Amino acid sequence: QAQLVESGGGLVQAGGSLRLSCLASGRTFSSYAMGWFRRTPGKEREFVAHIGWSGGIKYYSDSVKGRFTISRDNAKNTVYLQMNSLKAEDTAIYYCAAKSGLGSVRHHEYNYWGQGTQVTVSS
């Protein structure tokens, strides 16, 4: 069964950095686009970044552009989200997701989801 497992979340001070990882198993995700989304209580799931199957195409939300970097290592079945210059408003549960075809900013287009990892940024 296909499974995505996020890790790397935690508590960090504003201005700090974290790197999230998403390990995929049970399916060949190397041919899938991967995305990162986040959610805070009372809000819709928000798009953060996505990356194409080869890693050549990346797209970011305006709120994280220039601070976050998405990457993938298909040999390790892992997608990463390097988060720098973190702000209090980045506090959320972060989810990775997978879909066939091209990446998308629409969360409902993704077929597979992880359980999420909490990121808390203290100001």
Side-chain angles (χ1 to χ4, degrees):
Q1 187 171 351
Q3 188 175 21
L4 301 176
V5 179
E6 302 95 336
S7 62
L11 174 65
V12 63
Q13 288 188 330
S17 299
L18 281 175
R19 188 176 80 156
L20 306 183
S21 300
C22 173
L23 176 63
S25 63
R27 177 173 286 271
T28 305
F29 281 98
S30 58
S31 62
Y32 280 64
M34 302 294 292
W36 284 97
F37 292 78
R38 64 189 183 186
R39 183 163 63 186
T40 54
K43 293 188 176 182
E44 287 281 326
R45 197 166 297 197
E46 176 191 11
F47 166 75
V48 175
H50 68 65
I51 186 168
W53 68 271
S54 69
I57 298 175
K58 304 175 185 181
Y59 188 74
Y60 301 90
S61 70
D62 287 342
S63 61
V64 308
K65 195 176 300 180
R67 300 187 298 121
F68 291 10
T69 302
I70 189 171
S71 62
R72 66 189 298 164
D73 184 340
N74 287 338
K76 296 182 178 180
N77 290 327
T78 302
V79 176
Y80 304 98
L81 186 69
Q82 177 67 44
M83 305 186 295
N84 298 329
S85 303
L86 283 160
K87 305 175 181 179
E89 51 263 43
D90 294 319
T91 295
I93 300 174
Y94 283 72
Y95 300 88
C96 72
K99 68 179 296 292
S100 57
L102 299 177
S104 172
V105 303
R106 302 177 183 86
H107 62 83
H108 65 268
E109 294 188 10
Y110 288 77
N111 307 106
Y112 303 97
W113 289 86
Q115 83 291 344
T117 186
Q118 176 72 48
V119 171
T120 303
V121 184
S122 62
S123 56

